[in-house]
């Protein structure tokens, strides 16, 4: 079941991707590209092994994104992050707080067997 942390992260990511698509000169102009990326990110969040306890994706030891998608999201975050503060201050501050959370231990079923 999706809780408030995952819902909020989806909202933040959607806003960052939209900002990048609409305003970044380097954004790709291929139709549907960013909707697909956002849908991909939402699916990752739905399946996140940490669930509501998730760390910031950039601190995550699992890295569930495909490498190319991960690189693209890093680019978007780097560009949109500083621009988010004025447009979505509450989401941005909460996101910055999430960034500082310690990475929780992996749930038992995902830990490597010894
Ligand atoms: S990168 Fe890590 S924290 Fe982010 S969604 Fe994937 S498993 Fe969860």
């Amino acid at each position: 079941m999706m809780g408030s942390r995952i819902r909020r992260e989806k909202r933040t990511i959607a806003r960052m991707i939209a900002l990048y698509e609409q305003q970044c000169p380097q954004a790709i102009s291929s139709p549907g590209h960013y909707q697909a990326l956002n849908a991909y990110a939402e699916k990752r969040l739905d399946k996140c092994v940490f669930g509501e306890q998730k760390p910031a994706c950039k601190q995550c030891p699992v890295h569930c994104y495909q490498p190319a998608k991960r690189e693209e999201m890093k680019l978007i975050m780097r560009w949109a992050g500083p621009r988010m503060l004025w447009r979505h201050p509450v989401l941005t501050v909460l996101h910055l707080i999430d960034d500082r959370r310690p990475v929780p231990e992996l749930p038992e079923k995902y830990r490597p067997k010894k």
Side-chain angles (χ1 to χ4, degrees):
M1 201 177 78
M2 186 172 49
S4 60
R5 166 92 168 89
I6 297 289
R7 258 200 306 273
R8 177 163 53 77
E9 184 126 341
K10 284 183 179 180
R11 261 204 317 274
T12 306
I13 287 177
R15 303 277 197 292
M16 290 177 112
I17 291 176
L19 186 61
Y20 186 87
E21 179 180 18
Q22 289 155 14
Q23 297 190 14
C24 180
Q26 282 80 44
I28 295 167
S29 60
S30 152
H33 176 81
Y34 292 104
Q35 286 93 322
L37 184 62
N38 190 56
Y40 176 83
E42 287 202 349
K43 217 173 266 173
R44 297 290 88 215
L45 284 168
D46 286 335
K47 292 177 189 267
C48 179
V49 296
F50 295 101
E52 285 292 294
Q53 309 308 317
K54 77 178 287 302
C57 289
K58 72 178 178 194
Q59 323 277 11
C60 178
V62 176
H63 296 311
C64 68
Y65 278 60
Q66 293 165 359
K69 297 246 190 321
R70 188 170 166 217
E71 284 311 306
E72 187 170 16
M73 283 302 287
K74 271 168 49 180
L75 202 75
I76 291 171
M77 299 275 154
R78 219 175 295 134
W79 187 90
R83 293 165 174 88
M84 283 282 287
L85 187 60
W86 307 111
R87 291 165 178 91
H88 305 288
V90 175
L91 280 180
T92 306
V93 168
L94 292 172
H95 188 70
L96 291 172
I97 292 169
D98 290 338
D99 262 5
R100 304 184 82 102
R101 284 179 190 225
V103 177
E105 214 180 339
L106 265 176
E108 177 95 42
K109 66 177 178 176
Y110 298 107
R111 281 184 222 150
K113 304 270 181 273
K114 288 182 188 158

